Amino acid sequence: EGRQYADQYIQTLTHELKSPLAAIKGAAELLNEEMSSVDRSRFLGNIHSQTARCERLIHRLLELSALEAQTHLKDTRTFDLVTRCQHSLDQLRPLAEAKQITLSGDLPASLDFTGNEPLLGSALNHLLENAIQFSPNGGPVTLSLKYDDSRIAISVTDHGSGIPDFASTRAFERFYSYRPEDHPTLHGTKGNGLGLSFVREVAKLHQGTATIGANQSSGTTATITLPFDGMP
């Protein structure tokens, strides 16, 4: 089983790296030819962007592999989960502003939670990045936190084209990346399909779950649900 898992992992990673490496090779070969400064600048930009794509893929893969190797949650402490949510909003605000997206929070005043704060922060950042990417320019993205005496639900909602049922059932699979054909801002782009896998692993280490699905009206909501030992 371990060998089969490793083989599948390597095959999928190789497939994901083929496209950017082919683009880098092609651009590098063309740079040996005579061309205008505009074309040269374009091919160099392509090399830089595809190299960055490979680097992101490798970084995310190492990050996910390290997380999957953990048998239990480490480095836990009690912290204010609302402050952590607000910090993620602040971190992603420049990315949202670049698309004129309104990033807001529907959060309580405070909520103490015991867990791994950096991991949960990274998971929230992944969800916010996805929501911003799939939102139309000028659309809203909301991070909300709701809780009762047994669970906490942290949700990120966008108002993009939504995610179909067939994609939502596979969204947390490693390397799976859904791109709607009618989304003009995503034309010709492809994620590495590791962000939601990371979110799921973070939720599992906290004895929680991660889900994603289309809203009744429009857009998509991704939710991390965590166990909670009572009202503050």
Side-chain angles (χ1 to χ4, degrees), residues 144-193:
S144 66
L145 191 158
K146 308 295 182 185
Y147 65 92
D148 55 29
D149 59 356
S150 63
R151 70 186 186 100
I152 297 170
I154 310 171
S155 299
V156 175
T157 300
D158 66 55
H159 289 78
S161 57
I163 184 171
D165 290 341
F166 77 85
S168 64
T169 58
R170 299 190 58 195
F172 294 95
E173 292 180 16
R174 193 184 300 104
F175 296 115
Y176 181 78
S177 181
Y178 170 69
R179 289 293 178 268
E181 295 180 358
D182 61 348
H183 199 310
T185 62
L186 296 177
H187 180 68
T189 65
K190 188 178 187 299
N192 54 43

Side-chain angles (χ1 to χ4, degrees), residues 36-56:
S36 67
S37 59
V38 174
D39 287 338
R40 186 172 297 278
S41 177
R42 178 164 58 88
F43 286 123
L44 284 172
N46 190 37
I47 289 174
H48 287 304
S49 65
Q50 294 300 325
T51 300
R53 178 180 169 185
C54 291
E55 288 176 341
R56 287 193 301 270

Side-chain angles (χ1 to χ4, degrees), residues 42-90:
R42 178 164 58 88
F43 286 123
L44 284 172
N46 190 37
I47 289 174
H48 287 304
S49 65
Q50 294 300 325
T51 300
R53 178 180 169 185
C54 291
E55 288 176 341
R56 287 193 301 270
L57 174 62
I58 292 169
H59 173 74
R60 287 280 177 88
L61 190 57
L62 291 173
E63 186 181 48
L64 179 59
S65 296
L67 201 60
E68 289 178 334
Q70 294 188 28
T71 57
H72 62 280
L73 192 61
K74 302 175 183 178
D75 303 322
T76 61
R77 70 179 187 88
T78 300
F79 60 96
D80 184 0
L81 189 54
V82 175
T83 299
R84 177 62 258 183
C85 289
Q86 190 61 58
H87 184 56
S88 289
L89 287 170
D90 293 339

